[in-house]
Amino acid sequence: MKKNVSLRNAIIAVVVTNIIAVAVILYAPIPFIGGMRLVTGQEYDFLQKFGKMIMVKSIVEDRYVDKIDTQKMIDGALRGMVSNATDIYTQYMDEKEFKEWTTQTKGSYAGIGVYIEPKDGRIMVVSPIEDGPAQRAGIKSGDYIIKINGEEMTSDDMNKAVTLMTGKEGKKINLIIYRPNVGNKEINLVTEKIVFKTVKSKVINNNIGYIRITQFTETTGDDFNKALDELLKKQVKGLVLDLRDNPGGLLTECVKVADRLVGEGTIVYTIDNRNQREEWTSRPDKLNIPLCVLVNEGTASASEIVSGAVRDYKAGTLIGTKTFGKGLVQDLIDLRDGTGIKVTIARYYTPSGECIQGKGITPNIVLPLPEKDKDRELKVEEDIQIQKAIEVIKSKL
């Protein structure tokens, strides 16, 4: 009896697949030749695989010893289809993951306050969010997250890791991190509301402006312009822009920042899989005081766009250590059912035509922080990179 049910379901699956195949053949936007619809070999292979997938789903649902979570099976199939054919940044996200990911460019969310990226098959911390639970616990750029709540993590578990480390306030999180040249360390955290205040500014050394940007969210560009205008009203003689441990964010916002710094020209351009070029340009007016930009291994993506434009136009001096090296652009696509897909759509290039993917940007002045200073909050007078920036700016006055 059970075998007959399985056979019946398999037959239904094949019939459904054939209906879909006919629909694709009749209505898909593929060229006609001589009035006849042609199906490529690749399309035909895909339809066969699609039919097999439906058959497998039907058989497993019918014969598996325990109850099957069908939605989980479908999500897994979609996730696998994307991850097995693309780079590490292109990912399918279920409803929970998609909601959490889109929240990260908004005003706030509940979590431990850490930005992560896949690297070398593992999950690497690009940067902790300033004054978040992760930073207060001593987590820093370059750490690798090995386990979360006892579960081993690899680069394939990025979405799962985000889900485990976010959620309601007060959730207890146990991490095992690996720090190069140090070893493993266990850290216990509690999630809390992370409020994004991405731009902070002040006057240092009596007459030098200092602006720190922690990431690029929807308000960062406007907040930066307000902060810069306030500093200029105070007649600062130079500017230190701190992009250390800035993991990036929205391209539109980093362009607003670069527009104030580099003068007229191309800030960044992208090239997609059709070799189509899109570029973002800046206006002629620019900052007319000496500029230094602080960068490190946690400076990634959108913050590298700003750094690359400043470097290429010689609009300022980059100080610190080599940046992360992410020269790929992702688009977040809402699939209209609560799920989404983050897909790499282009490579970006600095004004000089360099794609820094996997290479990063080497600053004009390479100056790493001493090991003893990497795990603690530094005052301006203790921070040798800020002090070097002050020295460089003074030399240009």
Side-chain angles (χ1 to χ4, degrees), residues 2-298:
K2 288 183 179 179
K3 290 183 179 179
N4 290 336
V5 171
S6 297
L7 179 61
R8 181 194 66 195
N9 289 342
I11 291 172
I12 291 172
V14 171
V15 170
V16 170
T17 304
N18 286 338
I19 292 172
I20 294 172
V22 170
V24 170
I25 292 171
L26 290 177
Y27 299 109
I30 297 178
F32 285 74
I33 295 180
M36 295 182 63
R37 173 67 169 78
L38 300 180
V39 179
T40 67
Q42 188 176 25
E43 289 173 321
Y44 183 76
D45 289 343
F46 173 77
L47 291 173
Q48 284 191 316
K49 295 289 185 183
F50 185 74
K52 186 180 291 185
M53 183 178 72
I54 294 177
M55 290 178 64
V56 169
K57 173 181 173 293
S58 178
I59 291 169
V60 172
E61 284 179 326
D62 188 62
R63 300 297 303 277
Y64 184 66
V65 66
D66 293 320
K67 186 177 180 180
I68 288 290
D69 186 333
T70 302
Q71 188 57 52
K72 190 174 182 180
M73 184 189 296
I74 294 170
D75 285 340
L78 291 169
R79 201 184 311 280
M81 180 172 67
V82 171
S83 64
N84 288 331
T86 59
D87 65 16
I88 57 178
Y89 299 108
T90 299
Q91 300 167 340
Y92 168 80
M93 288 171 276
D94 62 26
E95 287 188 54
K96 186 176 182 181
E97 293 164 342
F98 184 64
K99 183 178 180 180
E100 289 168 350
W101 194 272
T102 53
T103 298
Q104 291 189 23
T105 58
K106 305 294 181 183
S108 65
Y109 76 102
I112 66 169
V114 67
Y115 293 101
I116 55 177
E117 290 283 2
K119 188 170 184 179
D120 301 328
R122 297 180 290 181
I123 295 175
M124 193 190 86
V125 175
V126 176
S127 67
I129 292 176
E130 192 168 346
D131 198 36
Q135 187 190 60
R136 295 198 302 269
I139 293 175
K140 65 177 187 176
S141 300
D143 287 344
Y144 290 90
I145 296 174
I146 306 301
K147 289 184 180 180
I148 304 176
N149 295 339
E151 294 188 53
E152 291 192 7
M153 294 286 126
T154 70
S155 59
D156 293 331
D157 302 310
M158 281 286 298
N159 289 334
K160 186 176 183 180
V162 171
T163 299
L164 289 173
M165 294 188 293
T166 56
K168 296 180 180 179
E169 295 178 57
K171 186 168 73 172
K172 294 181 179 179
I173 309 291
N174 175 267
L175 298 183
I176 301 295
I177 66 165
Y178 167 75
R179 182 166 297 166
N181 303 317
V182 176
N184 288 359
K185 183 178 181 180
E186 182 176 4
I187 297 178
N188 290 301
L189 301 160
V190 177
T191 59
E192 61 185 57
K193 186 176 182 180
I194 307 297
V195 179
F196 298 127
K197 184 179 179 182
T198 63
V199 178
K200 294 182 179 181
S201 63
K202 59 185 176 181
V203 176
I204 60 175
N205 202 67
N206 298 320
N207 62 354
I208 294 176
Y210 172 88
I211 297 179
R212 173 162 173 73
I213 302 178
T214 56
Q215 67 174 123
F216 292 93
T217 63
E218 291 177 345
T219 63
T220 301
D222 291 339
D223 290 344
F224 169 80
N225 283 321
K226 290 175 185 176
L228 180 57
D229 288 340
E230 286 299 317
L231 289 172
L232 292 175
K233 286 179 183 177
K234 296 176 182 178
Q235 298 184 328
V236 294
K237 303 301 182 183
L239 177 66
V240 178
L241 176 60
D242 193 343
L243 297 180
R244 294 176 296 182
D245 296 325
N246 181 323
L250 301 178
L251 186 148
T252 53
E253 298 306 300
C254 78
V255 165
K256 290 179 183 178
V257 172
D259 182 39
R260 292 292 299 273
L261 305 177
V262 301
E264 186 174 13
T266 298
I267 294 171
V268 63
Y269 67 91
T270 62
I271 296 179
D272 65 15
N273 62 356
R274 295 177 176 82
N275 206 34
Q276 296 296 308
R277 172 172 168 151
E278 184 175 7
E279 67 177 63
W280 289 260
T281 59
S282 55
R283 295 165 295 181
D285 55 314
K286 59 169 288 189
L287 190 70
N288 61 358
I289 56 177
L291 168 69
C292 283
V293 181
L294 305 183
V295 297
N296 65 5
E297 61 277 4

Side-chain angles (χ1 to χ4, degrees), residues 262 265-271 277-280 301-313 318 323 325-329 347-357 359-362:
V262 301
T266 298
I267 294 171
V268 63
Y269 67 91
T270 62
I271 296 179
R277 172 172 168 151
E278 184 175 7
E279 67 177 63
W280 289 260
S301 193
S303 55
E304 290 178 289
I305 288 176
V306 176
S307 303
V310 169
R311 178 201 64 180
D312 286 1
Y313 284 108
L318 271 56
T323 62
K326 185 182 178 189
L328 301 174
V329 180
R347 289 181 174 84
Y348 81 72
Y349 296 80
T350 68
S352 65
E354 180 185 10
C355 180
I356 54 95
Q357 173 63 24
K359 298 188 300 181
I361 297 172
T362 300

